[in-house]
Amino acid sequence: MSVGIVSYGTYIPKFRIKVEDIAKVWGDNADILSAGLMVNEKSVPDLDEDTVTIAVEAARAAICRSSLDPSRIEAIYTGSESHPYAVKPTSTIVAEAVEATPEMTAADLEFACKAGSAGMQACMGLVQSDMADLGLAIGSDVSQGAPGDALEYTAAAGGAAYIIGNKEEEMVAIIEDTYSFTTDTPDFWRREGMPYPEHGGRFTGEPGYFKHVLGAAKGLMNKLGTSAEDYDYAVFHQPNGKFPSRVAKMLGFSKEKIAPGLVVTRLGNTYSGSCLMGIAATLDQAQPGDRIFATAFGSGAGADAFSFRVTDKIDKIRDKAPRVEELLANPVYMDYAMYAKHKGKIRRA
Amino acid sequence: MSVARFWRQQVQRYNLVGNHCRNCDDYYYPPRTTCPFCRRNGEMEEYKFSGKGELVTYTIIHSAAEGFEHQTPYVLGIVKLEEGPRLTSQIIAQPEDVNIGMKVRPVFRKLGESGDKGMLHYGTKFTPA
Ligand SMILES: [Zn+2]
């Protein structure tokens, strides 16, 4: 039985802060930082937005885009590293809000930045084995970087939702295959009850991101007998602009092939939403028949690679929900003081 | 707000679910058990509002109730849904961008929380369409 994306939806809060406004507060050189990270600004949630509200908006956009009956959704997995409750699922709130309850299963996932793609794989298994009609996988985050920490320049807010099904006539993209690469690596973590994450310095680049992304990407291409030339587009987890650009080059993908999905320069790192947002931005402009290669990465560490083939259906439903480009347009900029208030870094006494 | 009370109102807050009376063709939000106009002759059915509406009037809150102090100034408005019912809601917009008669659409937001240890409450607010 084939498996694929039946619909997708995204959500990005309208507020942004520029890297230069963060750098000003900490006395860092904004030009060097922006050029090094390839990030100019990042999204900031509204005071009443969190992982749940972002997940609901993205899920509603996905349902609206395909006009499908939400009671057909029989599994919901929300991946996030910023679920608002330590115990009580985000996914049940989403399920109630999109009217998929009660005949369904749900759970929350956490795997740093790749919990959303892990949810997609779980949904693939359920629909391919016919245990579920449709599955909804969401990556949503309102991530925190400690004040003055390098991560503060990129930790952003946003989410993407994918409805996974097994009926080829409903799919906008067929998932040709998936492949994962996972090890126990101490590159990034956050202990229970702690507001900000820690990172294991030397583990972040080569032993974390590059080893796992390359492992999953090469593994999938070996399995399928494909290479970079077989794909029209590629998307990689984007904690900044530099890492996905470098890994794309190592795998033989041109700048043009990653350009549509490289939204991090204007969005920041949306963690569990990051790679899924890039895939959505690519689907927003892909043509029927195009092939898209994608690899999500999560610290801790693991990577999930996917190979997609876009179908004719994409043209019929694409414009029924906002494109990523529309959500990125016309942002409202805020200064560091307002940003600190929005992120709860400062509170009224 | 008690956990039980919010839970009972959850469906209507998440999705603007109210009633339609088949007898007089009027719409009600929040939901009610009997039609106040037809009374015994009323034929109430559940109805999900699209959430499209317009802003009837609004006020800008500078001195907020407990738990909302960090959101000031914010806009509180009366929204008239396409089907007729009016409801009070926070309007997600900068105060200077708000005007009477503007079209609004629903958004899913956090409504509040019961302290640091209690439940988080979610539901519908409105934003310029
Ligand atoms: Zn009546």
Side-chain angles (χ1 to χ4, degrees):
Chain A
M1 194 182 291
S2 55
V3 60
I5 297 168
V6 171
S7 190
Y8 66 101
T10 53
Y11 182 79
I12 298 169
K14 67 176 176 182
F15 297 104
R16 304 283 183 279
I17 183 167
K18 294 193 160 131
V19 162
E20 62 185 79
D21 285 319
I22 303 174
K24 215 180 287 172
V25 173
W26 303 115
D28 290 334
N29 186 317
D31 292 338
I32 293 174
L33 268 169
S34 274
L37 294 168
M38 291 172 64
V39 174
N40 301 319
E41 57 197 60
K42 66 168 194 169
S43 62
V44 182
D46 206 342
L47 291 160
D48 54 1
E49 289 184 307
D50 64 10
T51 291
V52 167
T53 66
I54 289 169
V56 168
E57 292 288 352
R60 283 181 173 171
I63 290 166
C64 171
R65 179 168 263 140
S66 60
S67 320
L68 59 84
D69 172 6
S71 69
R72 286 183 57 201
I73 296 168
E74 294 174 342
I76 298 184
Y77 297 108
T78 310
S80 181
E81 58 110 65
S82 53
H83 291 290
Y85 286 102
V87 178
K88 185 182 182 325
T90 297
S91 299
T92 55
I93 305 171
V94 174
E96 197 77 53
V98 303
E99 299 176 294
T101 52
E103 289 183 54
M104 54 167 294
T105 183
D108 285 359
L109 302 178
E110 186 280 310
F111 194 148
C113 296
K114 81 154 195 81
S117 59
M120 283 174 75
Q121 291 180 326
C123 287
M124 286 173 67
L126 289 175
V127 301
Q128 245 178 332
S129 62
D130 227 3
M131 280 176 67
D133 180 4
L134 297 173
L136 171 61
I138 304 165
S140 172
D141 259 310
V142 286
S143 299
Q144 286 277 34
D149 187 88
L151 293 173
E152 194 184 24
Y153 289 102
T154 52
Y162 286 81
I163 297 173
I164 307 294
N166 56 23
K167 293 169 191 67
E168 214 164 309
E169 68 277 10
E170 290 188 330
M171 296 173 194
V172 296
I174 293 164
I175 303 175
E176 297 177 310
D177 212 338
T178 182
Y179 183 94
S180 295
F181 187 93
T182 308
T183 72
D184 183 358
T185 304
D187 54 339
F188 174 92
W189 63 88
R190 179 167 66 81
R191 293 272 299 275
E192 184 73 51
M194 294 291 119
Y196 304 116
E198 300 286 324
H199 38 98
R202 69 179 191 86
F203 286 102
T204 27
E206 294 303 332
Y209 185 91
F210 291 97
K211 174 181 166 183
H212 294 82
V213 170
L214 290 172
K218 287 177 178 168
L220 182 57
M221 286 196 246
N222 274 340
K223 197 176 167 191
L224 286 170
T226 54
S227 64
E229 295 89 74
D230 295 311
Y231 293 95
D232 301 279
Y233 299 103
V235 183
F236 297 97
H237 171 52
Q238 29 201 289
N240 50 53
K242 195 176 59 179
F243 281 18
S245 299
R246 202 200 301 168
V247 91
K249 197 174 171 193
M250 291 162 88
L251 289 163
F253 291 101
S254 65
K255 273 184 185 162
E256 291 69 33
K257 287 183 181 178
I258 61 165
L262 200 64
V263 290
V264 65
T265 53
R266 289 170 294 157
L267 174 62
N269 180 6
T270 53
Y271 285 61
S272 301
S274 170
C275 186
L276 303 195
M277 190 73 74
I279 298 170
T282 307
L283 285 171
D284 280 345
Q285 48 180 279
Q287 296 303 311
D290 281 351
R291 284 175 96 182
I292 302 169
F293 189 85
T295 308
F297 168 75
S299 291
D304 302 325
F306 298 86
S307 177
F308 303 103
R309 187 188 290 277
V310 180
T311 75
D312 303 343
K313 184 92 193 290
I314 191 79
D315 291 331
K316 295 193 185 75
I317 72 165
R318 183 155 37 202
D319 294 330
K320 291 183 181 170
R323 297 184 190 210
V324 175
E325 205 53 51
E326 292 169 61
L327 297 172
L328 284 171
N330 308 313
V332 176
Y333 290 100
M334 51 174 56
D335 59 17
Y336 191 88
M338 192 58 90
Y339 157 75
K341 182 173 142 181
H342 271 237
K343 292 301 293 169
K345 293 178 190 225
I346 52 168
R347 298 174 83 159
R348 193 189 288 256
Chain B
M1 188 182 293
S2 80
V3 172
R5 188 173 155 214
F6 197 91
W7 180 77
R8 278 195 300 275
Q9 297 177 350
Q10 208 160 264
V11 171
Q12 78 205 44
R13 286 176 194 258
Y14 285 5
N15 275 305
L16 294 177
V17 175
N19 300 107
H20 169 239
C21 175
R22 274 188 294 245
N23 194 43
C24 65
D25 198 27
D26 234 339
Y27 293 86
Y28 299 98
Y29 185 91
R32 38 206 315 166
T33 42
T34 52
C35 174
F37 180 72
C38 310
R39 297 187 183 257
R40 252 178 316 183
N41 298 323
E43 286 179 58
M44 295 290 252
E45 62 183 347
E46 197 177 272
Y47 179 81
K48 185 184 166 188
F49 293 92
S50 72
K52 285 183 199 152
E54 66 175 59
L55 189 63
V56 177
T57 185
Y58 70 94
T59 181
I60 297 166
I61 307 287
H62 291 280
S63 178
E66 200 185 332
F68 296 88
E69 303 92 338
H70 64 297
Q71 294 194 33
T72 56
Y74 62 87
V75 182
L76 200 63
I78 294 178
V79 170
K80 182 173 183 279
L81 299 173
E82 270 183 346
E83 296 88 343
R86 293 171 181 226
L87 55 113
T88 304
S89 167
Q90 190 179 334
I91 308 298
I92 307 293
Q94 302 304 115
E96 59 271 23
D97 297 334
V98 175
N99 50 72
I100 288 171
M102 74 178 187
K103 298 278 183 243
V104 293
R105 64 179 174 85
V107 287
F108 193 84
R109 296 286 176 123
K110 203 162 115 179
L111 301 181
E113 57 188 69
S114 305
D116 283 341
K117 292 181 183 173
M119 298 288 300
L120 302 171
H121 305 306
Y122 296 95
T124 306
K125 294 181 183 179
F126 290 84
T127 194

